[in-house]
Amino acid sequence: MSNSASPPPVPPYTGPGSPQDVPPPPGSFPIDPASLPPPIRDELLAPDPVAIDTSAAELKDGLNRCPKCGATDIKQKPGSDLLICLYCRNEWHAQRVEEEFGLGEGLDQLEGTVIASGARDIAADAASVMTFKCTGCGAEVTVNTENAMTARCHWCRHVFGVNEQVANGAVPDAVLPFHIKKDDAVARIRQFVDKRRMFALKAFKEQFTPENVIGVYLPYMIVDGKASADVSGHGEILTRTYTQGSGDKKKTYYDADVYQVERHVDFTVDDLPLESSSERGNLDTGTNTNNIINTILPFDTKNAVKWNASYLSGFSSEKRDSGVEQLRPRLENQLLSIARAQVEASTSRYDRGVRWEQEGLSVHGTRWVSMYLPVWLYSYHQPGSNGGMLHYIAVNGRTGETMGSVPVQQWKLLLAALTVGSVLETIALMIVGNT
Amino acid sequence: MSDDGGLWLLLLGPAGATGLYWALYRYYRNTDKSHDFEHETAVEAKPVTGSDRKVDEVRGTQETRIDGDNVRAYRKRVTRIRRNSS
């Protein structure tokens, strides 16, 4: 029996399409579109239509009082981070957490684990449903913090927001307000799908209604860290290339010098986002399409403001269920990947590549801030075995970056592939036959 | 044309069909996409240090790259040396 105090190692992520693979450069396509048949080529090369940015969805009233007149009729000014009082038209900006808590400073002096109050561990007995007593009429109003942070009193129409950090982990330290308006998000989703219609599932095309997109605040941990990493392995430098044999037997051979390579790097990372919902953090592309939501990262988290439920009026939200300790293995995994990317440039002389064999990480200090980030989500459920697959098209609520998963009509895709394959095979047979 | 060259050409059809299927499937489903945190996160690194020591020579290999090349596969974890982390 092992007496080791350290936890067992995390099993490696495997499988095709796993997000552990380094993603391809943006906009790249593995086949030259010019070599494809015109209809497919036209779809791939079609320009992105301009996203329409017109009116915004009306936001509901919040509970926060206007600092000038005291009215509670407050909403976010669409397309900005401002809150506006509809009674006196006063506009004000909530305090940015970056300046308020000095989150952008002292990265290279981080020591230990610094956890902001909203990122504390979730109390084991915490309930999702919270009850408030209405100060206007005395009625009891409940808010289900699983998916909402505000609720309206059904008697006197007063709006309640969950504004205090509570033990159930629903209230983060900061919130990044939506900038992209609903119409803009709808246009972006429509243009994304318009470029992927030819082989899309028929039922998906028939039911496609991007107006059903919903704005969701998703929970993230934003982590600053200071770390050191070491990697070691072997690298090869080409010394000679030569051919032996002649005609069909001609073969190329290589000589190389083998080096033992060791690298060390000290670095700090600023605002690394980690999904703090265990469901969203599961990026297994075989069972879900959460990698779509992961892809629209990063956000301009420097502009996040102090928690204020008024920003969440009219939007849905998801609750955090992971604490710092649950997320630490994933942070270390990402820090190791960052270190490997950092040392890559120093191995350029090894023109036959490097095989890293060992790696180590020392995390000197981390700072964790819990944050709600804005995402427009369109979802389509594709029926199938094991409950089918939920396909997402996600729009970053700040930058407008759009990514999605469109279900494919398998027989159409197979038919197109077989047709192109047959044409190529016919050409090959003609060439072989002629020789 | 040699026999080898002819056989290679016959693979064009299956390879083209598989390649197109794979590429279009990826274009629609985007299963290969994820946040490129290695390059999109603000990282400040001190100069990389280390050592290079010649330990062996390879003679007459037909491989164009080192066996197990993972210099760009940042997310493929290798044997982890455990240290005390705070």
Side-chain angles (χ1 to χ4, degrees), chain A residues 39-337:
Chain A
I40 298 175
R41 183 183 64 213
D42 292 345
E43 183 171 286
L44 294 179
L45 297 179
D48 290 344
V50 178
I52 306 154
D53 185 4
T54 53
S55 65
E58 203 62 21
L59 293 172
K60 296 175 185 169
D61 302 341
L63 182 66
N64 295 283
R65 295 186 180 276
C66 169
K68 194 173 174 188
C69 73
T72 58
D73 206 1
I74 296 162
K75 69 171 188 175
Q76 181 195 1
K77 191 175 182 186
S80 75
D81 292 351
L82 295 172
L83 291 174
I84 182 168
C85 172
L86 299 184
Y87 185 73
C88 70
R89 312 306 296 177
N90 180 35
E91 293 179 7
W92 70 99
H93 195 291
Q95 189 67 39
R96 296 204 315 171
V97 287
E98 190 76 3
E99 285 92 20
E100 180 85 358
F101 303 119
L103 297 181
E105 302 157 8
L107 293 183
D108 55 348
Q109 271 111 47
L110 277 177
E111 275 184 30
T113 305
V114 181
I115 302 175
S117 54
R120 284 174 301 191
D121 282 352
I122 302 161
D125 58 347
S128 293
V129 177
M130 298 182 66
T131 304
F132 296 87
K133 198 168 185 67
C134 178
T135 51
C137 68
E140 288 199 337
V141 180
T142 56
V143 178
N144 185 352
T145 58
E146 286 286 353
N147 50 32
M149 298 302 278
T150 53
R152 193 185 281 270
C153 173
H154 42 277
W155 297 109
C156 67
R157 314 293 295 161
H158 208 58
V159 175
F160 287 86
V162 182
N163 270 320
E164 290 176 32
Q165 284 178 358
V166 286
N168 70 0
V171 175
D173 296 297
V175 58
L176 190 60
F178 273 90
H179 256 195
I180 299 292
K181 301 170 192 171
K182 181 174 180 178
D183 289 345
D184 195 354
V186 168
R188 286 170 194 270
I189 291 169
R190 195 182 294 283
Q191 79 183 32
F192 186 89
V193 172
D194 279 349
K195 291 187 72 176
R196 291 165 179 80
R197 278 193 173 271
M198 188 179 294
F199 301 108
L201 194 70
K202 191 178 173 202
F204 172 82
K205 285 193 279 189
E206 287 171 353
Q207 296 168 24
F208 180 59
T209 43
E211 292 75 16
N212 289 349
V213 66
I214 53 167
V216 188
Y217 279 102
L218 295 179
Y220 286 82
M221 286 284 192
I222 307 299
V223 190
D224 298 332
K226 180 188 174 194
S228 302
D230 292 279
V231 280
S232 67
H234 288 89
E236 288 185 3
I237 299 175
L238 186 70
T239 52
R240 188 171 160 233
T241 306
Y242 53 98
T243 53
Q244 284 184 345
S246 59
D248 297 346
K249 307 284 187 219
K250 195 160 119 178
K251 289 198 168 81
T252 305
Y253 295 91
Y254 306 96
D255 288 354
D257 288 343
V258 182
Y259 283 80
Q260 170 77 30
V261 188
E262 290 179 2
R263 293 289 182 270
H264 174 89
V265 61
D266 299 309
F267 61 98
T268 61
V269 294
D270 193 3
D271 284 6
L272 186 67
L274 300 175
E275 285 90 358
S276 57
S277 151
S278 56
E279 188 196 337
R280 294 294 178 208
N282 175 9
L283 303 182
D284 180 358
T285 52
T287 57
N288 62 55
T289 63
N290 284 333
N291 72 304
I292 295 303
I293 306 173
N294 179 264
T295 305
I296 62 169
L297 293 169
F299 287 79
D300 54 335
T301 43
K302 296 284 173 208
N303 292 318
V305 296
K306 266 176 78 175
W307 171 258
N308 187 333
S310 290
Y311 283 110
L312 275 74
S313 292
F315 295 108
S316 180
S317 59
E318 287 187 5
K319 205 178 97 177
R320 172 169 75 91
D321 66 356
S322 296
V324 170
E325 290 312 316
Q326 285 92 16
L327 292 171
R328 202 181 285 277
R330 204 180 329 149
L331 171 71
E332 294 190 358
N333 190 28
Q334 297 201 359
L335 290 177
L336 279 169
S337 298

Side-chain angles (χ1 to χ4, degrees), chain A residues 19-20 43 344 350 364 410, chain B residues 21 28 52-53 74-75 86:
Chain A
Q20 297 309 304
E43 183 171 286
E344 185 194 343
Y350 296 99
H364 306 302
Q410 287 289 354
Chain B
Y21 180 92
Y28 276 61
D52 305 80
R53 186 164 47 89
Y74 318 125
R75 300 187 190 181
S86 54

Side-chain angles (χ1 to χ4, degrees), chain B residues 2 4-5 18 22 31 38 54 59 63 67 70 83:
Chain B
S2 69
D4 276 0
T18 311
W22 173 79
T31 51
E38 292 95 341
K54 186 177 170 185
R59 292 286 168 261
E63 300 292 329
D67 180 36
N70 57 9
R83 292 196 184 84

Side-chain angles (χ1 to χ4, degrees), chain B residues 19-31:
Chain B
L20 180 65
Y21 180 92
W22 173 79
L24 282 174
Y25 186 82
R26 285 277 170 100
Y27 182 67
Y28 276 61
R29 294 273 281 105
N30 288 303
T31 51

